[in-house]
């Protein structure tokens, strides 16, 4: 499918008045009040800088292929914005529209209403019908809009039980409304809604702040869990869970020695090793958190550089397509201005030239895409080299700390064993042999168990780091392959459409 790039000709075609060819294009654009570019197959909101931002009050872009709201900040006098029947997933980048009164976003895959704080005191009409909104949380957001008098939400998957109570529910919360779902609200309806839901409204007002605080706490907890998982620490204890005896040395001989001997030296040694254990765990945790921060920064910088590179490539492609469109326009103008004499010969020459220009455009677009793809592939390879080096350093540090932790544990257990054996030297030979055997077996089993735990913890961290590295680059390479295929398909479709139009013209 051929897509449209917004340029001077497209903007002229979108005027809502009786515009004819005007030699002063700049003056024409300065006096635009309403621009309607509906059903134009537009992919991106761009090049609107051609229009005077001070005079445009209505912009209509319904039934297009727009995926993102952008490049509208300068239109501070815009009163009406229609972006219905597009592919927009998020409301964003409307902070500059301080006078916006009518916002039409129906038939978009929106899931929530957000980022309209600038319009709280000016927005009068909002149409979010037939979107993807599954709950009524947006009502708590919209109830703060002081001038919102018309709201359309029908066609969304959210609903109340019973279904016919939706109108009453919405009116009770958003009390500024005069029209809901294109039906005028009567005084009786408003009174009924308030009476039925007055208790609910009181509860909402009382708990609104409490819910926000709970939501923030829960969000912080979830973010902490995600951060620890991204740092490969979700299997490592933290905080009060890092207990030397309960978590690691829940052992009969250790407990017996500590309980039977109240001497300061024994407990002092125990506390020393307990502190060392916590310190080792803390160092491993800090190393993992530092590694996560470095990796996150590197990946973020990569995505920013990638976005800029892709945007630059898109601009090059648009420039090439615009030049082709201007050439096509000049050719048509030349044909219409020519005489009837030798018309067939001239037409044939023009068709040949047009085919050659189409071929050149195709080669240029493919060359741009090939160059862009090679740059992206190189960037991915360079990022992998940097992250692999960082992961190797992180694994080495983790290995060193776990080895130290294992040595500290073994030294402590050996100390306990020696002390336990010395404490039974005065017993008879049979009793001494039996107790020493029991102590030795107990400490040996504890050493094996702790060695196994340490080995599993270290293995989990190092394997998780390797898996993270493989996953992220499998994803980056897959996304680049898909992007490249989409771009090549768009180029092929564009060229194919131009050739078809040329053949129709010839016939």
């Amino acid at each position: 499918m051929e897509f449209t790039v917004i340029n001077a000709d497209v903007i002229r075609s979108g005027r809502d008045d009786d515009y004819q060819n005007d030699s002063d294009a700049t003056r024409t654009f300065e006096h635009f009040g309403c621009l309607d570019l509906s059903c134009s197959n537009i992919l991106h909101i761009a090049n609107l800088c051609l229009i005077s931002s001070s005079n445009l009050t209505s912009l209509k872009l319904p039934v297009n292929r727009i995926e993102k709201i952008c490049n509208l900040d300068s239109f501070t006098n815009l009163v009406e914005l229609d972006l219905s029947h597009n592919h927009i997933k998020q409301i964003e980048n409307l902070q500059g529209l301080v006078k916006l009164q009518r916002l039409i976003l129906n038939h978009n895959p929106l899931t929530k209403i957000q980022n309209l704080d600038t319009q709280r005191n000016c927005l009068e009409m909002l149409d979010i019908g037939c979107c993807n909104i599954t709950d009524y949380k947006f009502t708590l957001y919209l109830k703060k809009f002081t001038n919102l008098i018309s709201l359309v939400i029908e066609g969304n998957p959210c609903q109340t039980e019973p279904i016919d109570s939706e109108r009453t529910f919405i009116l009770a919360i958003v009390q500024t409304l005069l029209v809901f779902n294109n039906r005028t609200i009567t005084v009786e309806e408003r009174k009924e809604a308030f009476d039925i839901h007055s208790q609910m409204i009181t509860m909402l007002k009382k708990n609104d702040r409490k819910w926000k605080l709970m939501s923030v706490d829960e969000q912080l907890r979830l973010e902490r869990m995600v951060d620890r998982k991204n740092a490969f620490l979700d299997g490592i204890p933290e905080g009060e869970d890092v207990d030397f005896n309960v978590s690691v040395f829940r052992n009969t001989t250790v407990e017996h020695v500590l309980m039977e001997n109240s001497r300061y030296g024994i407990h002092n040694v125990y506390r020393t090793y307990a502190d060392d254990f916590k310190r080792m765990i803390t160092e491993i945790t800090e190393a993992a958190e530092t590694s996560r921060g470095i990796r996150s920064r590197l990946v973020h910088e990569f995505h920013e550089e990638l976005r800029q590179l892709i945007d630059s490539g898109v601009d090059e492609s648009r420039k090439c397509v615009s030049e082709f469109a201007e050439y096509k326009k000049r050719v048509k103008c030349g044909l219409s201005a020519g005489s009837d004499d030798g018309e067939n010969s001239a037409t044939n020459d023009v068709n040949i030239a047009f085919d050659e220009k189409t071929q050149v455009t195709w080669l240029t677009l493919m060359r741009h895409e090939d160059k862009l793809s090679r740059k992206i592939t190189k960037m991915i390879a360079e990022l992998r080299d940097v992250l692999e080096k960082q992961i190797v350093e992180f694994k080495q540090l983790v290995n060193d700390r776990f080895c130290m932790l294992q040595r500290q544990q073994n030294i402590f257990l050996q100390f306990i064993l020696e002390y336990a054996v010395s404490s039974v030297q005065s017993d008879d030979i049979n009793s001494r042999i039996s107790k020493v055997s029991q102590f030795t077996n107990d400490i040996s089993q504890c050493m094996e168990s702790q060695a196994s735990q340490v080995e599993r913890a270290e293995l989990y961290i190092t394997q998780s780091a390797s898996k993270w590295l493989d996953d992220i680059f499998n994803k980056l390479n897959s996304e680049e392959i898909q992007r490249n295929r989409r771009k090549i398909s768009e180029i092929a479709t564009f060229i194919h459409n131009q050739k078809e139009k040329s053949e129709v013209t010839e016939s």
Side-chain angles (χ1 to χ4, degrees), residues 145-278:
F145 284 63
T146 57
N147 289 308
L148 186 63
I149 59 176
S150 178
L151 176 65
V152 178
I153 66 166
E154 58 187 350
N156 280 286
C158 58
Q159 64 179 31
T160 58
E161 293 293 341
I163 296 176
D164 57 1
S165 67
E166 176 187 72
R167 187 175 178 86
T168 306
F169 177 83
I170 299 296
L171 299 187
I173 297 178
V174 190
Q175 299 183 13
T176 58
L177 293 178
L178 299 178
V179 180
F180 178 64
N181 283 343
N182 298 314
R183 279 176 50 201
T184 303
I185 300 168
T186 64
V187 176
E188 290 75 15
E189 282 182 319
R190 189 180 304 282
K191 186 177 184 304
E192 179 186 4
F194 185 80
D195 290 342
I196 293 176
H197 294 285
S198 58
Q199 186 176 0
M200 179 194 67
I201 293 171
T202 302
M203 181 189 67
L204 288 176
K205 289 180 178 179
K206 183 184 297 183
N207 293 316
D208 192 21
R209 185 176 181 82
K210 180 181 177 182
W211 289 352
K212 286 181 179 178
L213 292 175
M214 290 174 61
S215 176
V216 169
D217 291 341
E218 179 66 13
Q219 185 66 28
L220 291 174
R221 186 184 70 82
L222 293 175
E223 288 177 359
R224 176 61 181 166
M225 289 176 60
V226 171
D227 287 344
R228 285 185 63 81
K229 183 175 179 60
N230 290 338
F232 322 126
L233 291 171
D234 43 326
I236 304 298
E238 67 171 332
E240 296 179 356
D241 294 332
V242 184
D243 188 280
F244 185 61
N245 188 40
V246 175
S247 298
V248 180
F249 292 111
R250 195 68 181 176
N251 176 269
T252 304
T253 299
V254 175
E255 292 178 343
H256 171 76
V257 169
L258 293 174
M259 183 173 60
E260 294 296 328
N261 296 275
S262 59
R263 290 172 57 186
Y264 175 76
I266 295 294
H267 288 273
N268 188 45
V269 170
Y270 171 79
R271 283 193 294 271
T272 299
Y273 281 105
D275 291 340
D276 287 343
F277 174 77
K278 290 184 178 181

Side-chain angles (χ1 to χ4, degrees), residues 255-358:
E255 292 178 343
H256 171 76
V257 169
L258 293 174
M259 183 173 60
E260 294 296 328
N261 296 275
S262 59
R263 290 172 57 186
Y264 175 76
I266 295 294
H267 288 273
N268 188 45
V269 170
Y270 171 79
R271 283 193 294 271
T272 299
Y273 281 105
D275 291 340
D276 287 343
F277 174 77
K278 290 184 178 181
R279 179 176 57 80
M280 293 292 179
I281 294 293
T282 301
E283 288 182 2
I284 293 170
T285 301
E286 290 177 350
E289 293 283 5
T290 301
S291 175
R292 179 188 64 81
I294 293 173
R295 289 184 283 109
S296 298
R297 176 179 58 79
L298 290 171
V299 172
H300 176 74
E301 290 174 354
F302 168 83
H303 281 295
E304 284 296 312
E305 186 177 351
L306 178 64
R307 180 183 60 79
Q308 294 175 8
L309 185 62
I310 292 176
D311 288 346
S312 177
V314 170
D315 290 340
E316 284 187 3
S317 298
R318 286 177 181 168
K319 183 179 179 181
C320 182
V321 172
S322 297
E323 289 175 355
F324 179 79
E326 291 295 329
Y327 171 81
K328 194 162 103 175
K329 178 182 175 182
R330 290 197 302 271
V331 169
K332 288 182 178 180
C333 292
L335 281 177
S336 61
S339 61
D340 294 337
D341 297 334
E343 181 178 350
N344 291 334
S345 176
T347 301
N348 290 334
D349 292 342
V350 167
N351 288 334
I352 293 172
F354 182 77
D355 289 341
E356 292 176 352
K357 182 65 175 177
T358 302

Side-chain angles (χ1 to χ4, degrees), residues 82-97:
D82 186 350
L83 291 167
S84 57
H85 292 271
N86 277 286
H87 305 293
I88 298 168
K89 296 181 180 179
Q90 181 177 346
I91 301 175
E92 58 185 336
N93 300 320
L94 296 178
Q95 296 90 335
L97 308 187

Side-chain angles (χ1 to χ4, degrees), residues 285-483:
T285 301
E286 290 177 350
E289 293 283 5
T290 301
S291 175
R292 179 188 64 81
I294 293 173
R295 289 184 283 109
S296 298
R297 176 179 58 79
L298 290 171
V299 172
H300 176 74
E301 290 174 354
F302 168 83
H303 281 295
E304 284 296 312
E305 186 177 351
L306 178 64
R307 180 183 60 79
Q308 294 175 8
L309 185 62
I310 292 176
D311 288 346
S312 177
V314 170
D315 290 340
E316 284 187 3
S317 298
R318 286 177 181 168
K319 183 179 179 181
C320 182
V321 172
S322 297
E323 289 175 355
F324 179 79
E326 291 295 329
Y327 171 81
K328 194 162 103 175
K329 178 182 175 182
R330 290 197 302 271
V331 169
K332 288 182 178 180
C333 292
L335 281 177
S336 61
S339 61
D340 294 337
D341 297 334
E343 181 178 350
N344 291 334
S345 176
T347 301
N348 290 334
D349 292 342
V350 167
N351 288 334
I352 293 172
F354 182 77
D355 289 341
E356 292 176 352
K357 182 65 175 177
T358 302
Q359 185 73 6
V360 170
T361 301
W362 175 69
L363 292 174
T364 302
L365 290 172
M366 290 299 293
R367 186 166 59 251
H368 287 167
E369 174 55 25
D370 181 63
K371 180 180 176 182
L372 176 62
S373 184
R374 281 188 281 108
K375 283 184 177 179
I376 293 175
T377 302
K378 182 180 178 182
M379 283 175 56
I380 293 175
E382 291 174 348
L383 177 66
R384 183 167 193 121
D385 290 342
V386 174
L387 287 178
E388 280 182 342
K389 180 180 178 181
Q390 205 283 325
I391 289 291
V392 168
E393 293 175 354
F394 168 66
K395 286 182 177 179
Q396 185 61 50
L397 188 147
V398 169
N399 177 260
D400 292 344
R401 294 299 182 273
F402 272 111
C403 287
M404 292 173 64
L405 183 64
Q406 184 65 55
R407 285 196 298 270
Q408 292 288 344
Q409 292 174 353
N410 289 340
I411 292 172
F412 175 74
L413 288 173
Q414 186 65 35
F415 168 79
I416 291 293
L417 177 60
E418 292 175 357
Y419 193 91
V421 170
S422 66
S423 66
V424 296
Q425 290 302 315
S426 59
D427 293 0
D428 62 81
I429 185 69
N430 292 329
S431 175
R432 186 168 66 251
I433 292 174
S434 175
K435 289 181 179 180
V436 168
S437 176
Q438 179 184 348
F439 293 154
T440 303
N441 290 335
D442 192 27
I443 293 298
S444 296
Q445 290 177 5
C446 186
M447 282 185 175
E448 291 177 3
S449 174
Q450 299 315 311
S452 177
Q453 288 186 36
V454 169
E455 183 180 357
R456 285 197 302 270
E458 179 185 357
L459 188 63
Y460 175 81
I461 291 177
T462 55
Q463 286 183 342
S464 297
S466 298
K467 183 178 184 301
W468 176 87
L469 193 65
D470 291 337
D471 288 347
I472 192 170
F473 284 102
N474 287 338
K475 180 180 179 183
L476 288 175
N477 287 320
S478 176
E479 288 176 348
E480 168 52 19
I481 290 172
Q482 293 176 15
R483 186 207 63 80

Side-chain angles (χ1 to χ4, degrees), residues 11-178:
I11 292 175
R12 289 192 187 97
S13 68
R15 292 201 57 166
D16 64 344
D17 53 19
D18 298 328
Y19 163 76
Q20 301 296 330
N21 289 338
D22 193 330
S23 59
D24 190 352
T26 304
R27 182 180 62 80
T28 303
F29 292 163
E30 286 179 352
H31 291 83
F32 265 37
C34 176
L35 179 62
D36 187 348
L37 298 178
S38 57
C39 305
S40 299
N41 206 24
I42 294 170
L43 284 174
H44 308 284
I45 303 175
N47 297 334
L48 292 178
C49 57
L50 298 170
I51 307 171
S52 172
S53 59
S54 60
N55 291 324
L56 189 67
T57 57
S58 177
L59 177 59
K60 299 178 181 179
L61 294 165
V63 196
N64 283 291
R65 297 167 60 193
I66 298 169
E67 296 183 353
K68 183 176 182 179
I69 304 174
C70 59
N71 300 322
L72 296 175
D73 286 343
S74 61
F75 296 98
T76 54
N77 289 322
L78 200 64
V79 174
E80 179 182 28
L81 177 61
D82 186 350
L83 291 167
S84 57
H85 292 271
N86 277 286
H87 305 293
I88 298 168
K89 296 181 180 179
Q90 181 177 346
I91 301 175
E92 58 185 336
N93 300 320
L94 296 178
Q95 296 90 335
L97 308 187
V98 295
K99 296 182 180 179
L100 188 64
Q101 297 177 8
R102 294 174 53 83
L103 179 58
I104 304 172
L105 294 168
N106 62 69
H107 292 88
N108 278 288
L110 294 170
T111 58
K112 62 194 309 186
I113 307 304
Q114 59 184 355
N115 300 326
L116 291 174
D117 294 343
T118 307
Q119 290 78 31
R120 278 189 181 182
N121 297 321
C122 62
L123 191 65
E124 297 179 358
M125 185 272 181
L126 176 63
D127 185 347
I128 50 173
C130 298
C131 291
N132 240 350
I133 301 170
T134 57
D135 58 55
Y136 289 100
K137 291 180 181 178
F138 68 91
T139 57
L140 296 176
Y141 182 63
L142 293 181
K143 73 175 183 178
K144 299 175 183 177
F145 284 63
T146 57
N147 289 308
L148 186 63
I149 59 176
S150 178
L151 176 65
V152 178
I153 66 166
E154 58 187 350
N156 280 286
C158 58
Q159 64 179 31
T160 58
E161 293 293 341
I163 296 176
D164 57 1
S165 67
E166 176 187 72
R167 187 175 178 86
T168 306
F169 177 83
I170 299 296
L171 299 187
I173 297 178
V174 190
Q175 299 183 13
T176 58
L177 293 178
L178 299 178

